[in-house]
Amino acid sequence: MRKRVKKRKGFMILELVIAVAIIGVLAAMAVPNLIGLTDEAKVARIQSDLSTIGTAVDVYYVKNGAYPSSLSSLVGNSSEGYLKKLPEPPDKSVTYELKDKGEVTGAYKGKIYSSFGTTTQAT
């Protein structure tokens, strides 16, 4: 007499629990790294925006012999404007400001970034 071997269909509950635990461990390791990357991306965007605005300020200075009185004076139509529009900061807490000698700054999370390429702690 032959014994029939009963074939399993699907997964055992233990196999599913182990698979979920492994995915949970991997997710726990990945999430903190992803959170830090968003801040780094925002800082990179701020530095890029400051570089763009700083270049427009320099062109304004070369053409007019003086720095602009405000950032809004850089925006205009294609014949007289240096920028189509001011770049929007990546975070609502960031504002771009025009300082002395054509420096443009933006503060984010306790640091002040400059179009001159410097970073300082906010006071």
Side-chain angles (χ1 to χ4, degrees), residues 2 15 17 20 29 38 44 54-55 57 64 67 69 71 80 90 94 102 107 115 120:
R2 257 182 175 179
E15 293 169 330
V17 168
V20 169
M29 290 188 304
T38 57
T55 300
V57 168
N64 299 306
Y67 291 109
S69 57
L71 292 178
E80 294 184 23
V94 180
S115 61
T120 57

Side-chain angles (χ1 to χ4, degrees), residues 12-57:
M12 290 177 42
I13 189 75
L14 182 60
E15 293 169 330
L16 289 174
V17 168
I18 291 172
V20 169
I22 290 171
I23 292 171
V25 168
L26 292 174
M29 290 188 304
V31 169
N33 292 335
L34 294 176
I35 291 172
L37 291 178
T38 57
D39 285 344
E40 290 177 23
K42 287 179 182 180
V43 168
R45 168 83 183 277
I46 290 168
Q47 290 172 333
S48 175
D49 288 350
L50 292 175
S51 177
T52 301
I53 298 169
T55 300
V57 168

Side-chain angles (χ1 to χ4, degrees), residues 11-12 16 20-24 28 42 48 62 68 70 89 95 103 105 109-110 112-113 115 121-123:
F11 297 102
M12 290 177 42
L16 289 174
V20 169
I22 290 171
I23 292 171
K42 287 179 182 180
S48 175
V62 169
S70 68
T95 55
E103 180 182 23
T105 61
K109 290 204 171 183
I112 300 174
Y113 300 93
S115 61
Q121 291 287 53
T123 55

